[in-house]
Amino acid sequence: MRIAFTKMHGLGNDFVVLDARDHALPPLTRDVVAALADRHTGIGCDQLVLIEPSQNADWRMRIFNSDGGEVEACGNATRAVGLLIGGEVSLETLGGTIVARPDERGIAVDMGEPRFDWDVIPLGYAMDTLAMPVGWPIDDGELENPVAVNVGNPHAVFFVDDAYAIDLASIGPVIENDPIFPERVNVNVAAVTARDAITLRVWERGAGITRACGTGACATAIAAMRRGLVDREVTVTLPGGSLVIAWGADNRITMTGPATVSYTGSFDWGDYA
């Protein structure tokens, strides 16, 4: 059984997109997803994305990290799916319904409202989410007092002087899997460089260091806005490029940036199942 796929990326955060709007696919088990995502023996991707029919929106979008685990949201994947489908489209996700539409700067996505309550993020116990009273040792001190934000999935945002000076490959998995985060967490290290500019690196739960993370950019921008470090619209620059994040008076987040089709192809399902 041959299955068609589209390889896409948003600022280098890459996806294998499977379109099941017209024909259902066999079950996507954790092992199948991980095999397809393997960069040596599979197609290779940060996330696998499945588009299906929905009873609550135009379409349903399911997102799986490269380790095979299903996650609630991915901003870059939403832009990619928005580009693939075309026009304005509502997408049902585990993190809620979001809307993507064409924009002169690429694809704009209404990411919904941020959430700050400790039990919604979720955290292991009640604490201040604007400056969590916790820290983790790093080479020259401690990475501490992150802002916790849920933008469809959980994020911890650390503000530092130099985002590239942090050994994210070492500290990222430690924080991701800390028991204080019962559903694990995405780890963001950010440097504010102007009232409208942030430099960001992200350790994505289940995927590792990524060239870009749309929800990470949203979470980081909102965290900086809550702390009064930036204005209500900011450009977040990641290793793969930049996204514009705006937090409107209606409390909703808009993320705008590019998405690209890399190539199309097909694979034999039996090689991975």
Side-chain angles (χ1 to χ4, degrees), residues 14-27:
D14 64 331
F15 317 104
V16 169
V17 182
L18 304 182
D19 191 342
R21 288 178 291 172
D22 295 327
H23 304 286
L25 298 180

Side-chain angles (χ1 to χ4, degrees), residues 165-218:
I166 304 300
D167 185 359
L168 195 56
S170 295
I171 196 63
V174 174
I175 300 173
E176 174 194 350
N177 294 288
D178 193 292
I180 200 171
F181 302 109
E183 295 182 8
R184 298 184 295 163
V185 76
N186 299 284
V187 183
N188 306 265
V189 290
V192 175
T193 57
R195 291 292 304 178
D196 62 351
I198 298 172
T199 298
L200 173 65
R201 295 172 66 223
V202 181
W203 173 274
E204 194 163 353
R205 61 174 180 167
I209 292 177
T210 182
R211 288 178 55 79
C213 177
T215 59
C218 291

Side-chain angles (χ1 to χ4, degrees), residues 46-184:
D46 291 324
Q47 281 87 25
L48 185 145
V49 180
L50 178 65
I51 310 172
E52 296 178 317
S54 170
Q55 296 182 346
N56 305 309
D58 292 331
W59 304 104
R60 182 187 185 198
M61 179 176 68
R62 297 178 66 191
I63 306 151
F64 302 84
N65 277 341
S66 57
D67 66 354
E70 188 168 5
V71 295
E72 302 92 336
C74 176
N76 287 326
T78 304
R79 295 201 317 281
V81 170
L83 176 68
L84 189 65
I85 295 175
E88 182 169 316
V89 59
S90 61
L91 298 167
E92 175 191 354
T93 74
L94 288 179
T97 299
I98 51 184
V99 176
R101 56 179 172 79
D103 182 274
E104 61 183 10
R105 296 172 293 189
I107 303 293
V109 179
D110 179 347
M111 297 291 291
E113 300 183 6
R115 289 162 282 182
F116 309 115
D117 293 340
W118 71 271
D119 55 338
V120 175
I121 287 173
L123 302 178
Y125 53 89
M127 70 181 74
D128 179 11
T129 61
L130 186 56
M132 291 176 61
V134 295
W136 290 265
I138 54 178
D139 287 343
D140 57 351
E142 193 169 48
L143 202 57
E144 59 185 351
N145 304 128
V147 182
V149 187
N150 188 303
V151 289
N153 54 7
H155 287 264
V157 182
F158 297 86
F159 291 102
V160 298
D161 293 333
D162 182 355
Y164 285 87
I166 304 300
D167 185 359
L168 195 56
S170 295
I171 196 63
V174 174
I175 300 173
E176 174 194 350
N177 294 288
D178 193 292
I180 200 171
F181 302 109
E183 295 182 8
R184 298 184 295 163

Side-chain angles (χ1 to χ4, degrees), residues 220-237:
T220 299
I222 297 302
M225 292 170 193
R226 287 191 73 203
R227 284 196 175 176
L229 302 176
V230 297
D231 299 327
R232 299 281 288 203
E233 181 171 301
V234 62
T235 298
V236 180
T237 301

